[in-house]
Amino acid sequence: SRVTAVGTCTACLVHLSASGSLTALNLGDSGFRLLRPSRVSPPHRLAVTLRSREQQHRFNCPFQLGVGSGDSAADGAVYSGVVRAGDLLLLVTDGVTDNLSERQICEALAGPLARGEPARSLAAALAASAHEASLQPGRSSPFAAAAQNAGLSHSGGKPDDVTVLCVRVLDGSCR
């Protein structure tokens, strides 16, 4: 028998060249953050140096590719930048950004980064923080703030898929 799959998805594509240049295409509410460690004290404090912006038709209705969607890859936003040694590149679903602010993302990574943990552990720590935040009904969250800005009532986190890919730039290039 024939199976027909119906569905849609957001997309975040990132290319890192051997020279360290970053080019990205983002469509929808998944996205990326390029984090850079502080050159001053404390050494494991992170700052967001490049980010994608979510694309939505209206609140909680992101651009998507797939069946029934009028969106296409050509609707995605293009970004460019440069990575350097010590940077972290995060690709995340909205389960992260709906539940954690950029400050909270950086804080969730500070401990594992200070301990010298590998990128896989940094990704796991961030995913666990986002998942935990999504289940807290009374907390302030980016999703709750966005709902309020749209004239809707929502408090707490937003249970959703949580996916994190973390790339740790070791020497400023991608060899």
Side-chain angles (χ1 to χ4, degrees):
S1 76
R2 183 176 173 182
V3 176
T4 302
V6 177
T8 59
C9 68
T10 60
C12 184
L13 307 169
V14 177
H15 175 261
L16 295 173
S17 74
S19 65
S21 67
L22 175 151
T23 305
L25 173 85
N26 192 72
L27 181 111
D29 58 0
S30 293
F32 75 90
R33 303 291 184 275
L34 181 62
L35 308 179
R36 184 159 291 152
S38 172
R39 290 182 181 236
V40 295
S41 182
H44 298 291
R45 183 178 181 143
L46 297 167
V48 177
T49 62
L50 184 63
R51 70 181 55 78
S52 58
R53 296 287 180 197
E54 62 182 37
Q55 296 175 300
Q56 295 190 31
H57 295 286
R58 61 186 178 284
F59 173 71
N60 208 26
C61 183
F63 287 27
Q64 297 187 39
L65 302 173
V67 177
S69 171
D71 303 324
S72 74
D75 296 317
V78 176
Y79 302 86
S80 61
V82 176
V83 299
R84 67 182 191 207
D87 285 355
L88 297 176
L89 174 63
L90 304 174
L91 281 75
V92 299
T93 58
D94 63 320
V96 175
T97 55
D98 280 345
N99 289 296
L100 298 175
S101 67
E102 286 185 345
R103 180 185 57 78
Q104 292 167 325
I105 289 171
C106 292
E107 288 172 356
L109 295 171
L113 187 61
R115 293 188 294 274
E117 294 185 18
R120 178 186 323 179
S121 297
L122 296 172
L126 182 55
S129 292
H131 177 70
E132 181 181 318
S134 77
L135 301 177
Q136 297 175 3
R139 72 182 298 277
S140 175
S141 70
F143 184 82
Q148 193 169 44
N149 287 340
L152 303 171
S153 176
H154 180 87
S155 64
K158 178 190 176 211
D160 202 348
D161 60 293
V162 174
T163 303
V164 179
L165 173 69
C166 179
V167 176
R168 199 168 193 173
V169 180
L170 300 177
D171 67 2
S173 66
C174 301
R175 286 177 249 172

